[in-house]
Structures are given as C-alpha cells and as structure tokens.
Amino acid sequence: QVQLVESGGGLVQAGGSLRLSCAASGRTVSSYVMGWFRQAPGKEREFVVAISWSGVTPYYADSVKGRFTISRDNAKNTVYLQMNSLKPEDTAVYYCTAGRTIATMAHGYWGQGTLVTVSS
C-alpha cells in the first residue's frame, strides 16, 4: 500500500505562485508514475500533469503547460508541483496520484487533496 499526503495549498492572488508537495509512504514509489489531478467546484476531476519514474518525461495538460512544473525526488519519495502565473480558473482541490503507468494512474493511489484558491 502507498499513502500519499499533499501539502502546500492555500490562497493566492492571480499571477502568484504556489508549490505543492506530495509525500509518499508505505512503500517506495520510485518506480511509479506520479502526478496530479484537480477538481474545481462543480466540475469533473481533470488530469494536470504526470511524471515518469525517471523524471525525464513529464506530461502536462495544455491548460497548465508553461506555467506548472512537476519534479520528483525519489530519495525522499516526494513529488512537487511548482505553479506559477496562477489564474482564477486554477482554483481547485489538487490530488496527488501514483500508478504503474500514466494510463492507469487514475486507478492507482490517491491522496486526500489540497485546496488551491486563486483570487482575481
């Protein structure tokens, strides 16, 4: 079993930055694909970004490309999401996920989520 705990959410003004962290415990996730989904109020959960175990090939949703950067530290079992140039439409609960592949990540392990609120 893998437990994922997100942190770093909060309230920020449009144009600002936040850095989310996701700490994994229970077993090593160094071989897992890890990533982030988000769910805005009244909307369906959507994919944001994923990163392979090597950290070489991240995949971003078009809506965050160029503004968000994912990274991982396998020694610390932690993945990070640096969010810059935040927009009000980025307001959502952000969930960390881990899975064997990008395709199956949504069916893997999930954290409880951390709320990001971007004010205009």
Side-chain angles (χ1 to χ4, degrees):
Q1 284 289 348
V2 174
Q3 291 80 44
L4 303 174
V5 178
E6 304 96 334
S7 61
L11 174 64
V12 64
Q13 288 188 332
S17 299
L18 280 176
R19 188 193 195 206
L20 305 183
S21 298
C22 172
S25 62
R27 64 184 297 178
T28 181
V29 292
S30 60
S31 63
Y32 282 67
V33 173
M34 296 190 72
W36 296 85
F37 284 73
R38 67 185 181 184
Q39 187 166 19
K43 295 188 176 181
E44 293 187 354
R45 196 170 292 184
E46 65 173 354
F47 169 80
V48 177
V49 60
I51 190 168
S52 64
W53 67 270
S54 65
V56 174
T57 50
Y59 300 89
Y60 295 93
D62 288 342
S63 58
V64 305
K65 202 172 294 183
R67 300 186 299 120
F68 290 12
T69 302
I70 190 171
S71 61
R72 66 188 295 167
D73 185 337
N74 288 334
K76 295 182 178 180
N77 258 9
T78 300
V79 66
Y80 306 96
L81 182 63
Q82 178 66 43
M83 305 185 296
N84 299 328
S85 302
L86 283 161
K87 305 174 181 180
E89 51 263 44
D90 294 317
T91 294
V93 177
Y94 284 72
Y95 298 90
C96 178
T97 66
R100 290 297 186 182
T101 68
I102 291 177
T104 60
M105 189 172 65
H107 304 289
Y109 300 101
W110 288 75
Q112 292 300 307
T114 184
L115 177 63
V116 172
T117 303
V118 184
S119 63
S120 57

